[in-house]
């Protein structure tokens, strides 16, 4: 097998498209974009790309520090590591994104953990297909699990494994820093660890069983394995091979390994799989039932039902779905979203006649120095501040007081002034839609003239700020 050189992988990692994609993947979600680190990265995105590419090209990219937290999930306590720096998260994502692409085809087809276009349902479909096509060859099943998989991985063995796939000194130096982040084992939570685990078991176990020993029916999800054969002696032989290979990788199999008839049900991937039908694992049923009984939020209830439906549709669980949700699966599958029904959710016009503009609301002060395109606007908008001012005026005896309404303007960013946007906590990219309120008559007049001339969406204006001793005024130029 040809090993991957620095010249084969480094140019792919530092490609602008890969680094830019990694930036937006790490900064997914409004909370990350609007965090202090997120705003800083987006405000200097070109420099961040250049710094990251330079560090990776020289092989000096490294992880500086990390945090830890204890998570208890289904009765198991795990210590999870996480990186503080978004910059380091972007770097490791850019590196591992290409590493995964180049080693994807070297993994066996019947493994399904942490791999694109593979997962529990894909692996379940392969098992059901093999059971139906070869009932005699899947009569018995061997099952086992590795004890504390990530914490038990020997770092020297892991590096020997990586040298089997890579031979460039630069890429190996960076990958080794991810391996040796912890004193022992691999970090749980680091972007690289799941794929490292796949590569390790692929080398020591998967290809030995599938390619050398010719076991047709072997399936692995992370460190959880199932081996099927027509007779028990075949499985005992396979079990001895697995035990030997796992020991070579300096790992340990849990004591619960066993061989049993497949007809008794193979507990794997969240399902109990039999040759004739598939049921959902009891603990998954109980957990869903408890959540549906406990949760009061309608939105959260819809999310749980949708998740449970995706689990049930790959099993024979129509009656179970109806019993827990009160909805028949055939009826649930016919439910359609607003877009499928042809009903736009946004933009549009509300029942009270006000327009529903796209994008987030941005304070006017954040737009100073930015160049924008006015797309649309609506006049006479009542705000909580104008209603409060009117109420206070009436309480002070001003019977003829009138509410000072505002214009709501929908715009598109043409050239952002990143410093002012960042200072105000707003992050807007070129071409992004947004909206803002204005109570300045000069701005109203310009908006009205643009509409009269038919120049909405065909204009470019810059927002300026004028500070006098008595007041501050904003205007379009």
């Amino acid at each position: 097998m040809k090993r991957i050189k620095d010249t084969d992988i480094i140019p792919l990692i530092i490609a602008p498209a890969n680094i830019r994609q990694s930036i937006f993947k790490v900064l997914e979600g409004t909370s990350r974009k609007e965090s202090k680190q997120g705003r800083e990265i987006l405000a200097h995105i070109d420099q961040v790309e250049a710094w990251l590419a330079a560090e990776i090209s020289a092989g000096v990219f490294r992880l500086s520090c990390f945090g830890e937290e204890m998570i208890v999930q289904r009765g198991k306590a795990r210590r999870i590591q996480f990186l503080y720096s978004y910059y380091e998260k972007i770097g490791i994502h850019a590196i591992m994104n290409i590493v995964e692409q180049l080693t994807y085809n070297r993994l066996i087809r019947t493994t399904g953990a942490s791999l694109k276009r593979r997962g529990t349902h894909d692996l379940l479909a392969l098992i059901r297909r093999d059971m139906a096509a070869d009932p005699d060859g899947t009569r018995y099943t061997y099952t086992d699990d590795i004890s504390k998989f990530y914490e038990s991985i020997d770092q020297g063995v892991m590096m020997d494994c990586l040298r089997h796939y890579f031979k460039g000194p630069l890429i190996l130096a960076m990958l080794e820093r991810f391996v040796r982040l912890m004193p022992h084992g691999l970090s749980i939570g680091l972007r690289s660890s799941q794929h490292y685990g796949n590569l390790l078991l692929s080398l020591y176990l998967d290809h030995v069983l599938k390619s050398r020993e010719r076991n047709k029916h072997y399936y692995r999800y992370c460190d959880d394995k199932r081996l099927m054969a027509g007779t028990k002696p075949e499985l005992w032989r396979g079990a001895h091979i697995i035990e030997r290979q796992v020991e070579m990788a300096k790992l340990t199999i849990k004591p619960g390994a066993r061989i049993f008839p497949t007809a008794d049900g193979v507990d794997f991937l969240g399902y109990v799989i039999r040759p004739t039908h598939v049921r959902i694992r009891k603990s998954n049923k109980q957990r869903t039932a408890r959540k549906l009984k406990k949760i009061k939020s309608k939105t959260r209830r819809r999310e749980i039902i949708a998740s449970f439906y995706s689990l049930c549709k790959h099993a024979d669980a129509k009656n179970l779905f109806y019993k827990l949700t009160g909805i028949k699966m055939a009826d649930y599958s016919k439910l359609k979203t607003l877009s499928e029904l042809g009903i736009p959710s946004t933009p549009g016009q509300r029942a009270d006649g006000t327009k529903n503009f796209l994008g987030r609301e941005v304070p006017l002060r954040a737009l100073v120095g930015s160049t924008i395109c006015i797309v649309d606007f609506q006049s006479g908008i009542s705000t909580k501040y104008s209603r409060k001012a009117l109420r206070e005026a009436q309480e002070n005896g001003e019977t003829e007081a009138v509410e000072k309404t505002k214009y709501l303007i929908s715009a598109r960013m043409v050239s952002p002034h990143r410093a002012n946007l960042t200072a105000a906590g707003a992050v807007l990219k070129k071409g992004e839609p947004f909206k803002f309120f204005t109570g300045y008559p000069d701005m109203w007049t310009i908006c009205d003239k643009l509409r009269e001339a038919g120049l909405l969406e065909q204009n470019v204006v810059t927002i300026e700020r004028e500070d006098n001793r008595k007041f501050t005024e904003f205007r379009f130029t």
Side-chain angles (χ1 to χ4, degrees):
M1 181 180 65
K2 186 179 179 181
R3 292 189 294 166
I4 300 169
K5 303 176 183 178
D6 283 339
T7 53
D8 297 327
I9 190 170
I10 298 295
L12 298 177
I13 295 174
I14 64 174
N18 181 54
I19 296 181
R20 183 64 63 101
Q21 185 263 343
S22 299
I23 290 174
F24 289 113
K25 184 66 178 177
V26 169
L27 297 182
E28 272 187 345
T30 304
S31 60
R32 285 197 170 191
K33 286 187 177 70
E34 294 185 349
S35 66
K36 183 177 179 180
Q37 287 191 63
R39 294 198 307 268
E40 188 70 21
I41 288 171
L42 291 173
H44 305 91
I45 190 167
D46 295 332
Q47 295 95 316
V48 170
E49 287 183 6
W51 294 335
L52 199 53
E55 285 193 352
I56 294 173
S57 297
V60 297
F61 176 79
R62 64 183 68 245
L63 306 178
S64 59
C65 59
F66 62 91
E68 289 186 323
E69 61 179 334
M70 187 66 74
I71 294 179
V72 179
Q73 188 177 38
R74 301 174 193 174
K76 293 182 180 180
R78 292 184 175 89
R79 189 177 295 278
I80 307 296
Q81 291 76 40
F82 59 90
L83 298 176
Y84 289 111
S85 169
Y86 283 0
Y87 177 82
E88 292 175 4
K89 289 182 180 181
I90 292 167
I92 192 171
H93 186 282
I95 292 170
M96 292 308 301
N97 190 40
I98 302 302
V99 167
E100 290 170 2
Q101 289 179 25
L102 296 181
T103 56
Y104 182 86
N105 290 331
R106 303 189 184 189
L107 303 176
I108 63 172
R109 178 64 183 87
T110 53
T111 183
S114 310
L115 297 171
K116 292 181 180 178
R117 299 182 297 279
R118 298 191 200 176
T120 56
H121 297 151
D122 175 72
L123 196 52
L124 174 65
L126 293 177
I127 295 172
R128 298 190 73 174
R129 180 202 67 186
D130 292 346
M131 282 185 175
D134 188 11
D136 293 333
T138 56
R139 195 180 301 260
Y140 295 96
T141 300
Y142 167 79
T143 176
D144 73 11
D145 198 1
I146 295 176
S147 176
K148 297 188 179 298
F149 177 54
Y150 289 108
E151 301 99 312
S152 302
I153 290 177
D154 184 272
Q155 294 180 352
V157 173
M158 189 69 245
M159 283 310 303
D160 289 341
C161 173
L162 290 175
R163 292 187 190 99
H164 185 81
Y165 295 97
F166 304 93
K167 69 174 182 179
L170 297 181
I171 188 63
L172 278 173
M174 290 185 286
L175 295 181
E176 184 170 7
R177 293 182 190 120
F178 306 156
V179 172
R180 302 194 185 278
L181 181 68
M182 303 290 292
H184 307 285
L186 294 185
S187 161
I188 300 177
L190 196 64
R191 172 72 171 79
S192 57
S193 296
Q194 290 180 320
H195 195 66
Y196 281 178
N198 274 332
L199 293 177
L200 181 69
L201 293 182
S202 176
L203 179 63
Y204 280 91
L205 204 57
D206 298 351
H207 285 289
V208 172
L209 290 170
K210 294 283 282 187
S211 304
R212 193 177 76 191
E213 301 297 332
R214 302 294 179 183
N215 287 290
K216 291 174 60 178
H217 306 303
Y218 166 74
Y219 313 92
R220 180 177 64 80
Y221 191 86
C222 194
D223 61 316
D224 199 7
K225 303 173 291 300
R226 300 295 182 271
L227 179 64
M228 296 182 185
T231 63
K232 286 187 177 181
E234 291 179 74
L235 287 181
W236 283 121
R237 182 175 178 273
H240 292 319
I241 294 170
I242 290 174
E243 185 176 352
R244 184 190 69 214
Q245 292 299 122
V246 168
E247 286 180 0
M248 287 178 62
K250 298 185 180 181
L251 299 170
T252 307
I253 293 177
K254 290 180 181 178
R258 66 191 182 100
I259 292 174
F260 59 93
T262 302
D264 290 352
V266 181
D267 191 343
F268 193 41
L269 306 171
Y271 298 90
V272 179
I273 311 165
R274 292 182 173 87
T276 55
H277 60 280
V278 175
R279 299 295 189 206
I280 293 173
R281 184 184 288 160
K282 183 178 179 180
S283 60
N284 290 344
K285 291 187 287 187
Q286 291 176 334
R287 188 162 51 252
T288 301
R290 288 166 186 158
K291 285 181 179 178
L292 290 174
K293 184 177 180 180
K294 180 181 178 181
I295 288 176
K296 303 236 165 101
S297 166
K298 292 182 179 179
T299 302
R300 182 61 183 144
R301 182 181 176 84
R302 284 195 298 268
E303 291 173 351
I304 293 171
I305 291 175
S307 175
F308 191 55
Y309 174 77
S310 69
L311 194 67
C312 289
K313 71 179 182 180
H314 294 277
D316 302 292
K318 292 180 181 179
N319 185 57
L320 175 66
F321 185 80
Y322 178 71
K323 189 173 182 179
L324 294 187
T325 66
I327 307 171
K328 292 184 177 180
M329 286 189 70
D331 295 336
Y332 186 85
S333 63
K334 293 176 184 177
L335 298 178
K336 297 181 178 179
T337 63
L338 290 175
S339 60
E340 290 171 338
L341 293 171
I343 302 173
S345 58
T346 185
Q349 195 160 347
R350 299 188 177 97
D352 60 1
T354 59
K355 293 181 179 180
N356 183 18
F357 292 134
L358 276 176
R360 74 177 73 179
E361 182 185 334
V362 179
L364 194 54
R365 70 179 186 279
L367 299 172
V368 174
S370 295
T371 303
I372 67 172
C373 171
I374 298 174
V375 176
D376 199 358
F377 68 91
Q378 184 162 9
S379 60
I381 299 296
S382 173
T383 67
K384 63 180 181 180
Y385 302 107
S386 62
R387 291 191 294 270
K388 180 181 178 181
L390 175 63
R391 187 168 59 252
E392 290 176 350
Q394 291 172 342
E395 290 173 353
N396 293 332
E398 299 178 27
T399 56
E400 297 182 358
V402 178
E403 182 180 0
K404 297 179 180 179
T405 59
K406 295 188 176 184
Y407 273 38
L408 176 61
I409 300 177
S410 172
R412 185 174 64 252
M413 181 58 68
V414 176
S415 178
H417 191 291
R418 299 193 185 279
N420 289 339
L421 287 167
T422 302
V427 179
L428 289 173
K429 301 191 294 290
K430 183 178 179 180
E432 185 174 347
F434 64 95
K435 53 193 173 188
F436 63 94
F437 287 96
T438 178
Y440 294 96
D442 290 345
M443 288 184 165
W444 297 356
T445 302
I446 291 175
C447 289
D448 293 333
K449 288 183 178 180
L450 288 173
R451 174 172 285 173
E452 290 173 5
L455 295 177
L456 291 176
E457 299 190 64
Q458 302 176 33
N459 57 84
V460 176
V461 298
T462 301
I463 298 178
E464 290 187 351
R465 173 176 176 168
E466 182 180 345
D467 288 317
N468 293 322
R469 292 183 177 179
K470 295 183 180 180
F471 61 88
T472 298
E473 184 173 352
F474 295 88
R475 61 164 64 97
F476 292 138
T477 59

